[in-house]
């Protein structure tokens, strides 16, 4: 089945230690998104890629970076995780820009010690 | 400013009851899209419906129905004859025509007890 895959499902890192979260998709969608969802809160968009074009949300901290080496993969890099970065990170894809349905992965729950 | 309000933080019902989840939105744009997503305990957000601002027709899909009323800026979601598997957090979201950014409400946690 075509899907959005996130690895790992659970990630534990230490305060200040860089961490990378992975997302892959078999849908061949052009757009990939990263959302941050803190406990009992709504998901919040961090950034998205339309093909290779990167679009950062204005309030996304510089500590968060992203890479998209090819259509299928997208990575979220947190350069120096703080305790406040502990959250669920959701990857999503859509076929194109323009309010298309977004397909979400199962998320990676990040714990910062 | 764009905003989505889901005033019901948590709702508990017994199986087979009908339940309505409320969603009120704010936007100055005339063209926009509204969405409902379900987030079960497993974590992924599951798309339920997308509605554009020019289509006020109500929609029914099995036990699910949606009531879109522009006059009250509401897009409410009703589950008929609820089941335990409906237990999840439900998010209403808004997106404007020229952006793919989803503005989510804070979600409503639905618990359906047997």
């Amino acid at each position: 089945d075509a899907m959005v895959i996130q690895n790992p499902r659970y990630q534990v890192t230490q305060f200040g230690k860089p961490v990378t979260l992975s997302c892959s998709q078999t849908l061949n969608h052009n757009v990939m998104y990263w959302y941050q969802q803190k406990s009992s809160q709504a998901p919040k968009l961090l950034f998205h890629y339309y093909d290779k074009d990167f679009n950062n949300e204005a309030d996304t901290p510089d500590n968060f970076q992203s890479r998209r080496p090819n259509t299928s993969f997208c990575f979220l890099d947190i350069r120096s995780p703080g305790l406040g970065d502990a959250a669920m990170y959701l990857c999503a894809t859509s076929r194109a820009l323009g309010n298309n349905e977004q397909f979400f992965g199962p998320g990676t729950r990040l714990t910062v010690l | 400013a764009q905003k989505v309000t889901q005033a019901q933080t948590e709702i508990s019902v017994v199986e087979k009851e009908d339940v309505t989840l409320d969603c009120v939105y704010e936007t100055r744009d005339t063209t926009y899209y509204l969405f409902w997503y379900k987030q079960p305990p497993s974590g992924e957000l599951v798309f339920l419906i997308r509605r554009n601002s020019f289509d006020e027709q109500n929609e029914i899909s099995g036990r699910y129905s949606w009531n879109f009323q522009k006059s009250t800026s509401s897009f409410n979601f009703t589950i008929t004859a609820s089941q335990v598997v409906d237990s999840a957090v439900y998010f209403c979201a808004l997106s404007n025509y020229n952006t793919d950014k989803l503005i989510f409400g804070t979600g409503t946690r639905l618990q359906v007890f047997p």
Side-chain angles (χ1 to χ4, degrees):
Chain A
D1 287 341
M3 56 175 48
V4 182
I5 302 161
Q6 290 190 246
N7 286 307
R9 293 293 308 276
Y10 301 90
Q11 176 74 55
V12 180
T13 190
Q14 291 180 335
F15 183 94
K17 185 174 180 182
V19 66
T20 295
L21 309 183
S22 170
C23 176
S24 64
Q25 53 124 343
T26 60
L27 297 159
N28 204 31
H29 282 173
N30 289 315
V31 193
M32 294 187 78
Y33 308 80
W34 279 103
Y35 289 83
Q36 179 193 63
Q37 185 179 22
K38 296 189 176 180
S39 182
S40 301
Q41 295 185 22
K44 178 177 175 298
L45 182 64
L46 295 173
F47 25 58
H48 76 271
Y49 272 96
Y50 175 60
D51 197 12
K52 295 186 177 182
D53 292 334
F54 178 70
N55 295 273
N56 199 30
E57 291 300 303
D59 56 355
T60 298
D62 292 340
N63 197 26
F64 292 86
Q65 304 284 321
S66 186
R67 296 170 283 134
R68 189 178 186 187
N70 53 53
T71 300
S72 301
F73 284 86
C74 194
F75 300 99
L76 170 62
D77 300 309
I78 308 177
R79 294 193 296 189
S80 181
L83 297 179
D85 296 327
M88 175 77 88
Y89 290 88
L90 296 164
C91 175
T93 72
S94 66
R95 182 173 49 83
L97 293 175
N99 289 286
N100 290 279
E101 173 188 346
Q102 292 186 23
F103 294 80
F104 283 81
T108 294
R109 184 167 296 282
L110 178 68
T111 300
V112 181
L113 300 178
Chain B
Q2 300 157 36
K3 187 179 177 183
V4 176
T5 301
Q6 294 180 255
Q8 303 150 309
T9 306
E10 188 163 339
I11 301 175
S12 295
V13 299
V14 177
E15 225 175 2
K16 297 184 183 176
E17 282 186 34
D18 298 348
V19 58
T20 295
L21 309 181
D22 297 334
C23 173
V24 174
Y25 62 92
E26 295 175 33
T27 180
R28 291 181 182 172
D29 292 309
T30 55
T31 304
Y32 52 88
Y33 292 80
L34 295 163
F35 301 78
W36 275 96
Y37 280 87
K38 173 182 180 181
Q39 188 174 39
S42 54
E44 77 258 44
L45 284 157
V46 178
F47 169 84
L48 296 178
I49 190 171
R50 178 187 62 191
R51 180 52 52 90
N52 75 56
S53 52
F54 297 108
D55 183 4
E56 280 194 80
Q57 225 175 0
N58 290 333
E59 182 153 340
I60 298 175
S61 175
R63 297 184 296 108
Y64 294 170
S65 62
W66 291 269
N67 184 308
F68 176 26
Q69 298 218 351
K70 286 177 78 170
S71 60
T72 56
S73 297
S74 65
F75 187 43
N76 295 338
F77 172 34
T78 297
I79 303 175
T80 303
S82 59
Q83 300 176 2
V84 173
V85 292
D86 295 328
S87 298
V89 180
Y90 290 85
F91 288 96
C92 181
L94 165 72
S95 181
N96 287 340
Y97 179 72
N98 60 353
T99 175
D100 278 310
K101 181 174 181 176
L102 287 172
I103 308 296
F104 285 91
T106 49
T108 297
R109 180 178 298 278
L110 174 65
Q111 294 196 71
V112 182
F113 293 99

